Amino acid sequence: MRRDVMELKAEDALLYLHDNAGEHGKVRAQSDYMDAWIKSEKARVKGLFVGLSNAAAEDEALKHPKYLEALKARKEANEAWYEVQFLREAARAHLDAFQTVSANERVNA
């Protein structure tokens, strides 16, 4: 890839990382929240099965529609975070490549 093209991609990557940092933080916080929330939701649903053994209540909770709905919400939040994470890694790779090319040019100059 030509240096001028790499420089433009590096600038775009830097702007992407900078301009979206706040939103990326919110996406990560939502994912973390959902990971914690799913535990309390399972406990809440498990509590609906009074009179069952702990293992039986657990089994019932794991297939309850409300818990399955919570799992789906958690999956969606985690998908959003992983998408952002991989886009950030790709942007960082552009920056790293440009830094390497620039360093090599300085050494060879």
Side-chain angles (χ1 to χ4, degrees):
M1 187 178 296
R2 293 187 350 241
R3 185 189 190 288
D4 59 331
V5 174
M6 287 185 79
E7 185 171 4
L8 290 174
K9 286 186 174 273
E11 284 181 29
D12 289 344
L14 187 59
L15 289 172
Y16 170 78
L17 291 171
H18 183 269
D19 293 347
N20 293 294
E23 186 60 34
H24 294 171
K26 290 177 185 176
V27 170
R28 176 60 190 259
Q30 182 66 21
S31 177
D32 289 348
Y33 172 81
M34 293 303 287
D35 286 342
W37 176 71
I38 195 75
K39 293 175 187 174
S40 64
E41 184 63 7
K42 182 169 79 171
R44 187 191 69 76
V45 172
K46 193 173 167 182
L48 299 174
F49 301 101
V50 178
L52 295 181
S53 70
N54 190 43
E58 175 94 9
D59 289 345
E60 291 300 318
L62 292 176
K63 61 186 179 183
H64 192 277
K66 287 292 187 183
Y67 181 69
L68 295 175
E69 185 180 311
L71 280 176
K72 183 179 177 191
R74 177 183 177 216
K75 176 183 174 268
E76 290 169 1
N78 287 342
E79 283 175 351
W81 166 242
Y82 287 126
E83 180 180 355
V84 165
Q85 181 181 7
F86 292 131
L87 288 170
R88 291 178 59 80
E89 288 175 12
R92 186 70 227 169
H94 281 296
L95 290 170
D96 291 345
F98 179 69
Q99 288 173 333
T100 299
V101 166
S102 295
N104 288 344
E105 285 180 352
R106 285 190 300 274
V107 167
N108 293 327

